[in-house]
Amino acid sequence: MQPIVRNMLINALLLGLFAVAGTGLVALTWEGTAERIAENERQALLDLLHQLIPPDRHDNDLALDWIQVTDPDLLGTRNPVTVYRARRNGQPEALVMTPVAPEGYSGDIKLLVGLEPDGTLIGVRVLTHSETPGLGDRIDIERSDWIHSFAGRSLQDPEQERWRVKKDGGVFDQFTGATITPRAVVKAVRNTLIYFAAHHTELWAPAAQPQSGDGHGP
């Protein structure tokens, strides 16, 4: 065998061995960290949900007790919306829905909406948005306390026709120079309340099959 051919074969063999070894190392690393990554993701989800439903309010695992519902008109998206249910001794305690406000100034605003079983709002949080810094981003709890104005409200407080910003004849404040963003959030929260009232029973129904919780974050 000519030296050049022999060298090519040796090099090819070495490359193959390095590829196999590299693949094996990646597989071992993934296997060793997958469980930790999954647990970190689960804890991050629980931290978000516990902003609205503290751990002492339930004895079930919020990350496992969920269903998905769809209503593009009221929930703001054609994609399934996840609903996390909190229970105590098997009885409904509270839930968190994950609707979208699709009419933000710069696009979709994803929300967490916490509700008591009677339809009273526990609170609202903004998950993600692309609103203008210094104006529309005041929907963030880190930027202002405006988002707290929903706590304790319901479809009866105020009446549905007054679920608007003050500029439109409602009771909720708008931001100076940025009305579109709070208007979109107020409308999305009102629509979520309407959906909750119309589907209260099915929102508390047991899941159709055991839930893993993986891949179903807000």
Side-chain angles (χ1 to χ4, degrees):
M1 181 181 296
Q2 295 182 1
I4 189 169
V5 175
R6 184 172 61 252
N7 289 337
M8 289 176 62
L9 289 174
I10 292 173
N11 288 337
L13 178 61
L14 290 174
L15 286 174
L17 290 174
F18 279 126
V20 170
T23 301
L25 286 173
V26 170
L28 287 173
T29 301
W30 180 87
E31 185 175 346
T33 60
E35 184 175 341
R36 188 187 332 147
I37 291 172
E39 178 57 28
N40 289 342
E41 290 176 345
R42 176 181 174 279
Q43 190 57 54
L45 171 61
L46 287 174
D47 289 344
L48 284 171
L49 298 176
H50 284 155
Q51 290 185 28
L52 296 172
I53 307 176
D56 60 5
R57 284 204 59 182
H58 63 92
D59 56 17
N60 66 324
D61 190 335
L62 296 182
L64 298 181
D65 193 341
W66 55 265
I67 60 171
Q68 290 186 317
V69 297
T70 305
D71 189 321
D73 293 332
L74 290 178
L75 300 179
T77 176
R78 294 185 180 277
N79 297 323
V81 166
T82 305
V83 182
Y84 299 95
R85 290 88 60 86
R87 307 177 195 266
R88 184 184 291 279
N89 298 322
Q91 299 302 308
E93 183 70 19
L95 60 74
V96 175
M97 301 185 66
T98 57
V100 173
E103 299 173 359
Y105 184 79
S106 300
D108 289 350
I109 301 169
K110 297 181 179 180
L111 304 172
L112 288 178
V113 178
L115 289 154
E116 302 282 5
D118 66 359
T120 301
L121 282 165
I122 299 170
V124 177
R125 296 291 185 273
V126 174
L127 279 174
T128 61
H129 72 87
S130 302
E131 301 304 280
T132 306
L135 293 172
D137 66 349
R138 289 179 62 197
I139 56 177
D140 272 331
I141 196 170
E142 293 85 1
R143 300 293 184 181
S144 80
D145 61 0
W146 179 84
I147 202 72
H148 289 298
S149 62
F150 293 105
R153 299 286 191 175
S154 68
L155 282 181
Q156 292 74 45
D157 177 23
E159 300 85 356
Q160 284 193 45
E161 59 269 17
R162 300 207 67 200
W163 268 87
R164 307 173 189 273
V165 295
K166 291 179 178 177
K167 185 176 182 179
D168 299 334
V171 303
F172 295 93
D173 290 332
Q174 61 266 345
F175 308 146
T176 301
T179 301
I180 293 175
T181 302
R183 179 186 287 143
V185 174
V186 170
K187 180 179 178 181
V189 175
R190 181 200 65 194
N191 285 347
T192 301
L193 288 172
I194 293 172
Y195 182 91
F196 177 87
H199 300 274
H200 181 273
T201 301
E202 66 189 74
L203 287 173
W204 287 108
Q209 58 185 10
Q211 307 291 352
S212 68
D214 295 338
H216 293 277

